[in-house]
Amino acid sequence: MFTVAGMVPFIPYLTGVVPAPYSRAADLQKCIRTNDIEEVGKTARHGTFFQMMGNWSFGDYFKEGAITYAWELLTSSEADGGLGFDEKDLWVTVYETDDEAADIWRRVIGLPAERIQRMGREDNYWHTGQPGPGGPDSEIFFDRGPAHGPGGGPAVDDTRFMELWNLVFMQEMLADVRSQTDFRVVGDLPQKNIDTGMGLERVAFLKQGVQNMYEIDQVRPVLDRASELSGRRYGADAGDDVRFRIIADHVRSSMMLLSDGVTPANEGRGYVLRRLMRRAVRSMRLLGVEEATFPELFTVSRDAMKENYPELETDWERISTYAYAEEDSFLRKLSAGTTILDTALEKAKDTGSSSLGGDQAFLLHDTYGFPIDLTLEIAGEAGLGVDRDAFDDLMRRQRERAKEDARSRKSSIADVSVYREFRALGETAFLGYDELTAASRVVGILVDGAPVDRAVAGQVAEVILPETTLYAESGGQVADKGTIIGSGFELDVIDVQRPVAGLISHTVTVHTGEVGIGDAATTVVDEANRRRAQAAHSATHLVHAALRDTLGSGARQAGSLNRAGYLRFDFSWGQALSDATKSEIEEITNRAIGDNLGVATRTMSLDEAKAAGAMALFGEKYGDTVRVVDIGGPWSRELCGGTHVATSAEIGLVSLTGESSVGAANRRVEALVGADAFRELASERRIVQELTSALKTPKDKLAGRVAELSANLKRAEKRIQAFEAQKLQQRVPELVAAAAPAGRITLVAEALGDVGSADDVRTLVTQARERLAGEAAVVALIGVANDRPVVVIGTTERARESGAQAGALVKLATGALGGGGGGKPDLAQGGGQDSSAIPAALSALQDAVAAL
């Protein structure tokens, strides 16, 4: 859903790296694109979720076939299965040098020359923005009529002339891609391909006779319900209309993301989902609705979409749980943000400022998720502005950081053509289910991403073999450790991955000798590590089953990590697990281990596996044939390509070590497995033995004894605090008595020695100042807390009239101490690094006050 183009999953087929399983295809792809999120609601066509229809040819038909098929579908009558567009309303563009496409449109289709326009790379050449396949395209546009803009075709106006379908003639390999228009064509692809894309939402709003995509039958019901909840009418106010459209779009997009297994988070796809949901909440807020509305809006959206996506209804409990929890969480943050904003606005008024600082608005936005729209609205109600220029500058810097991060993360569509010749030799056979060693030969070596004939001692390289026993990281299970050995060389395996479908690549360090193409090689799995890793993987399946036994079917896996001796398991659940529940899950898991359940694996079709009740997990890609792993029969039945134990008893022991939140309605359990679990329990037992011995308390009464000691300690701490407070009170008269004239001002400037905290110094300063309130007095005290000097200075009103400012005096004193500080004119605080400089700091204060 998050790919920059529908072609991305097909890149291995388009480039010929992986043989296509079919020569033609047609699809409808769910897509999320937020590049133009700020335009949502403002235009007729921008949406964050859309359904992209397309057809593909992998070396089969080319330009004439694609153009003919497109024209037939668009212009055939609905009775004949077409879309029924009138030919006179359709225009096309072609790449500026593509005479062949222009000729097909004129000669084969019969389109008048005046409705065929030539355009450059920016408009009529398509690629992903990364090195790889690309090609010129031909786009088909619908003329919406004079009411929507000037004539002259899509070259003049792309609002009146709306793009319907893009036909990409994918035929060239690109390198040095710097922008949409700045790239280098390095040659032809091994075959000529077709990639087309037509948005269902655009077709729908044109065919349904509405004004924009937000008013089509799959989106409009949400807009109407938002109108009812807000009491405002759609069509009455332009600003409100934009908000209604944002809500309708974002609610549907969020629901489809949740349906696909995405959960709210602070990074990656989870952040995209969170941002969409918060923008919807914000828009409802700006429409005057402050209470939760997702139970209403999401339900309406489900009913509008479920005919096409029945999984929305069958998986509604999970989808709605996440949605409602995220809205509740954000509403609480909005409440907290409002409190912080109110405080900031009061301070701005107190200082006579007419606006809120841009840094404060950005802090509210970035830390609390508080939308700038609401900040502007609330500040306006308080009669204040917001430094929008400063806010926008901070936002710009953040976007630049995000873009730089995004550029560094574009590995998902990196050029994989380097693997073409290796993949052309066939799929890598994984023999590691049954064997730990296997003889093979080296068919490929890459160093720094480039093919080489050999690699020598000390180099890091990728090694390609036709068969291997080393497991490539997938399904939450980390890659095997091991070696690859041959005559005169030994390679330490540091990673195993699948860079393209069907191909396994071993990243190795050449430990000794040198390895070359064609060398005989034997893969050797680190047996001890494999056994511990597969025990953790099987234990993950048991924990999943135990969670579902305990919590019900709503506890579904959302991610996992399995390595030797350790497992991490994320699952959908809306609240923390009680100690009793965690103990029950642990007990069920270990009971299954003790029952020595059989572990069976079967290969079958995906449909057969689902019919048998096997769980397909989000984040995994499954082919037509899948591997099903049963532990204890149907009790634990999952689609899984990982390695596993033969019987559950081989796992040994599972000890849950933690349970925590990883997002709204998402929890994580962690556990140690096998010998690692035993060592952890043995360590805890030693700690218990030491405590029972030290406290002279039986083990079964240890918890009560520790609670008793803790209560006694708290009582003692309170008594100590009371004694220290009393002691502080007793020092106040002594400090006041030490007051001496410094010019026209009475000054108390004393070193206190060691103090408990800065609060102690602050208390003494404020109380001594109260005793001197009738005089022009300055109280400056310096104590040492945690081996560092702390300065607090207070001034009376008459002292301030004479020019004494506490903030300025603190900066003077802390400068002498090697630190800094500040505050208000009446009370300020700071700290330093050098306690030996306290006498110098006091002397500087004496001179400064005397000079006033």
Side-chain angles (χ1 to χ4, degrees):
M1 292 180 77
F2 288 88
T3 58
V4 296
M7 64 178 281
V8 171
F10 289 126
I11 286 178
Y13 304 155
L14 297 168
T15 56
V17 174
V18 177
Y22 26 71
S23 61
R24 302 179 176 198
D27 71 339
L28 188 145
Q29 180 181 356
K30 294 182 289 184
C31 299
I32 290 287
R33 194 173 299 168
T34 56
N35 302 18
D36 301 315
I37 193 170
E38 299 299 336
E39 298 302 313
V40 172
K42 300 175 183 177
T43 71
R45 65 185 188 274
H46 281 99
T48 54
F49 170 79
F50 58 97
Q51 298 156 90
M52 180 65 77
M53 302 179 287
N55 56 285
W56 306 82
S57 166
F58 307 111
D60 194 328
Y61 61 84
F62 197 48
K63 291 184 183 179
E64 184 169 334
I67 290 172
T68 303
Y69 288 144
W71 194 254
E72 180 183 0
L73 178 59
L74 286 174
T75 61
S76 294
S77 68
E78 293 182 21
D80 292 331
L83 294 173
F85 286 105
D86 193 324
E87 293 184 13
K88 68 177 178 59
D89 294 325
L90 300 179
W91 291 60
V92 300
T93 60
V94 297
Y95 187 51
E96 56 192 356
T97 61
D98 195 349
D99 296 334
E100 181 185 1
D103 179 64
I104 293 170
W105 280 113
R106 285 193 307 269
R107 177 177 50 83
V108 179
I109 302 303
L111 199 66
E114 62 269 18
R115 283 197 274 137
I116 304 171
Q117 298 184 323
R118 294 177 182 259
M119 302 178 78
R121 278 186 173 184
E122 185 173 356
D123 297 291
N124 279 83
Y125 196 99
W126 178 248
H127 56 84
T128 66
Q130 292 289 293
D137 65 50
S138 180
E139 299 179 0
I140 306 172
F141 292 78
F142 178 82
D143 181 0
R144 300 172 68 200
H148 297 280
V156 174
D157 186 274
D158 66 353
T159 299
R160 169 176 169 173
F161 297 89
M162 179 166 292
E163 180 193 341
L164 267 180
W165 205 342
N166 186 10
L167 315 179
V168 183
F169 311 128
M170 196 70 64
Q171 63 193 67
E172 296 173 330
M173 178 61 74
L174 312 183
D176 303 328
V177 180
R178 290 170 287 274
S179 71
Q180 175 64 29
T181 58
D182 187 6
F183 55 84
R184 183 165 58 92
V185 177
V186 294
D188 293 333
L189 292 173
Q191 60 194 19
K192 292 182 177 180
N193 311 284
I194 290 296
D195 158 16
T196 82
M198 176 167 57
L200 179 61
E201 282 74 12
R202 291 194 184 184
V203 174
F205 96 68
L206 292 173
K207 293 300 295 180
Q208 292 176 16
V210 295
Q211 295 301 306
N212 52 62
M213 63 160 287
Y214 315 101
E215 298 176 11
I216 66 173
D217 55 353
Q218 288 188 341
V219 185
R220 180 65 186 251
V222 180
L223 188 154
D224 289 339
R225 189 71 186 110
S227 175
E228 293 171 7
L229 291 171
S230 67
R232 302 188 189 186
R233 184 173 60 84
Y234 180 62
D237 179 86
D240 284 352
D241 286 354
V242 171
R243 294 173 187 128
F244 284 129
R245 294 172 192 148
I246 289 172
I247 294 162
D249 173 84
H250 288 8
V251 164
R252 186 175 73 137
S253 300
S254 300
M255 181 182 67
M256 298 308 295
L257 284 171
L258 287 165
S259 173
D260 222 46
V262 182
T263 55
N266 287 327
E267 59 184 9
R269 63 187 65 195
Y271 175 72
V272 173
L273 171 59
R274 175 161 283 167
R275 185 184 182 198
L276 290 169
M277 296 172 84
R278 289 184 172 184
R279 279 172 59 90
V281 173
R282 175 198 69 181
S283 296
M284 287 301 299
R285 175 76 177 253
L286 292 174
L287 288 168
V289 183
E290 299 189 6
E291 62 270 14
T293 59
F294 280 5
E296 296 272 356
L297 299 176
F298 270 73
T299 303
V300 170
S301 189
R302 176 201 64 193
D303 293 343
M305 296 291 292
K306 68 182 180 182
E307 183 177 354
N308 296 94
Y309 299 98
E311 63 270 23
L312 291 171
E313 193 157 39
T314 56
D315 202 20
W316 185 246
E317 181 180 358
R318 183 187 63 81
I319 293 169
S320 58
T321 297
Y322 277 111
Y324 303 164
E326 181 67 16
E327 182 181 33
D328 288 342
S329 173
F330 185 46
L331 287 172
R332 287 195 298 272
K333 288 187 176 183
L334 283 177
S335 177
T338 301
T339 302
I340 295 168
L341 177 58
D342 288 344
T343 302
L345 292 172
E346 284 299 321
K347 287 184 178 179
K349 286 182 176 180
D350 289 345
T351 59
S353 176
S354 61
S355 67
L356 185 72
D359 56 339
Q360 293 172 300
F362 180 77
L363 174 69
L364 283 163
H365 165 84
D366 195 48
T367 304
Y368 298 97
F370 203 79
I372 184 63
D373 307 47
L374 284 180
T375 300
L376 290 168
E377 179 186 12
I378 295 171
E381 291 172 354
L384 296 176
V386 176
D387 187 346
R388 188 62 190 265
D389 290 341
F391 174 84
D392 289 341
D393 183 58
L394 290 167
M395 286 294 294
R396 178 186 55 77
R397 293 185 207 172
Q398 186 186 64
R399 281 193 295 269
E400 288 173 355
R401 290 193 297 270
K403 285 179 181 178
E404 184 61 35
D405 182 59
R407 282 192 287 269
S408 71
R409 291 171 181 262
K410 279 191 175 178
S411 59
S412 62
I413 53 173
D415 182 12
V416 294
S417 60
V418 70
Y419 298 103
R420 180 189 295 119
E421 62 180 281
F422 309 133
R423 183 60 182 81
L425 299 173
E427 292 194 23
T428 308
F430 176 63
L431 310 177
Y433 292 130
D434 304 308
E435 305 291 340
L436 295 179
T437 63
S440 188
R441 72 186 190 286
V442 178
V443 297
I445 303 174
L446 300 171
V447 174
D448 295 329
V452 296
D453 292 332
R454 57 189 54 253
V456 300
Q459 282 189 306
V460 175
E462 285 185 69
V463 173
I464 313 295
L465 310 171
E467 48 273 310
T468 183
T469 53
L470 292 153
Y471 182 77
E473 180 180 3
S474 62
Q477 183 176 336
V478 300
D480 274 337
K481 295 180 179 179
T483 56
I484 300 174
I485 58 176
S487 178
F489 66 83
E490 181 176 341
L491 316 176
D492 294 331
V493 177
I494 55 180
D495 195 14
V496 189
Q497 296 290 333
R498 297 179 185 269
V500 296
L503 185 73
I504 294 177
S505 172
H506 310 78
T507 302
V508 303
T509 299
V510 183
H511 183 62
T512 59
E514 63 178 54
V515 58
I517 299 293
D519 287 351
T522 300
T523 59
V524 182
V525 176
D526 181 331
E527 182 174 358
N529 181 76
R530 162 73 78 81
R531 292 192 183 282
R532 294 173 62 215
Q534 68 188 20
H537 196 162
S538 298
T540 302
H541 284 224
L542 297 185
V543 169
H544 190 189
L547 278 163
R548 291 170 66 80
D549 268 5
T550 307
L551 304 177
S553 60
R556 295 178 60 88
Q557 181 172 348
S560 66
L561 173 67
N562 318 291
R563 63 170 183 258
Y566 170 86
L567 72 84
R568 186 184 74 205
F569 187 85
D570 297 346
F571 61 100
S572 54
W573 198 250
Q575 58 189 27
L577 303 185
S578 67
D579 291 338
T581 299
K582 287 183 285 187
S583 295
E584 184 179 358
I585 292 165
E586 190 176 61
E587 181 180 348
I588 292 172
T589 302
N590 284 294
R591 189 188 308 138
I593 294 171
D595 289 343
N596 197 24
L597 302 176
V599 179
T601 60
R602 296 172 288 160
T603 301
M604 61 183 72
S605 73
L606 180 59
D607 289 339
E608 288 174 331
K610 289 182 176 179
M615 296 187 62
L617 306 179
F618 171 70
E620 292 300 302
K621 296 179 180 178
Y622 302 106
D624 294 332
T625 302
V626 295
R627 186 167 179 263
V628 178
V629 177
D630 288 353
I631 305 180
W635 181 65
S636 171
R637 176 169 292 164
E638 299 186 16
L639 302 184
C640 183
T643 63
H644 288 275
V645 297
T647 67
S648 63
E650 293 180 28
I651 297 171
L653 180 67
V654 170
S655 174
L656 294 186
T657 57
E659 189 266 344
S660 58
S661 169
V662 287
N666 224 30
R667 307 296 298 179
R668 169 176 293 171
V669 291
E670 296 177 88
L672 295 174
V673 181
D676 294 80
F678 176 79
R679 283 191 288 270
E680 175 72 10
L681 294 174
S683 174
E684 290 179 357
R685 182 176 63 188
R686 285 194 298 272
I687 293 172
V688 170
Q689 289 173 340
E690 291 172 4
L691 287 173
T692 56
S693 175
L695 299 178
K696 297 180 175 55
T697 303
K699 181 171 63 176
D700 60 338
K701 296 183 179 179
L702 189 61
R705 178 60 174 150
V706 170
E708 179 186 348
L709 289 173
S710 178
N712 289 341
L713 179 61
K714 288 180 180 178
R715 284 194 293 271
E717 288 173 343
K718 287 183 178 180
R719 293 182 65 189
I720 291 170
Q721 289 172 358
F723 284 133
E724 288 179 345
Q726 184 178 1
K727 186 178 179 181
L728 282 175
Q729 291 279 358
Q730 291 171 351
R731 295 195 65 175
V732 173
E734 172 190 339
L735 291 170
V736 172
R744 293 182 300 164
I745 293 176
T746 300
L747 174 66
V748 178
E750 296 289 328
L752 301 175
D754 289 335
V755 295
S757 68
D759 288 342
D760 292 343
V761 183
R762 195 179 185 93
T763 298
L764 284 173
V765 168
T766 55
Q767 291 185 356
R769 185 181 60 179
E770 287 177 6
R771 299 280 186 100
L772 299 168
E775 304 180 35
V778 172
V779 180
L781 303 179
I782 305 178
V784 179
N786 298 320
D787 298 324
R788 291 193 176 185
V790 176
V791 182
V792 181
I793 297 177
T795 60
T796 64
E797 183 176 354
R798 288 180 59 189
R800 292 193 293 278
E801 291 172 354
S802 297
Q805 301 290 315
L809 293 172
V810 157
K811 289 179 181 178
L812 174 69
T814 56
L817 297 169
K824 296 180 179 180
D826 62 328
L827 188 67
Q829 179 177 321
Q833 303 290 329
D834 184 7
S835 298
S836 66
I838 290 177
L842 292 172
S843 177
L845 286 171
Q846 175 81 29
D847 293 342
V849 172
L852 292 172

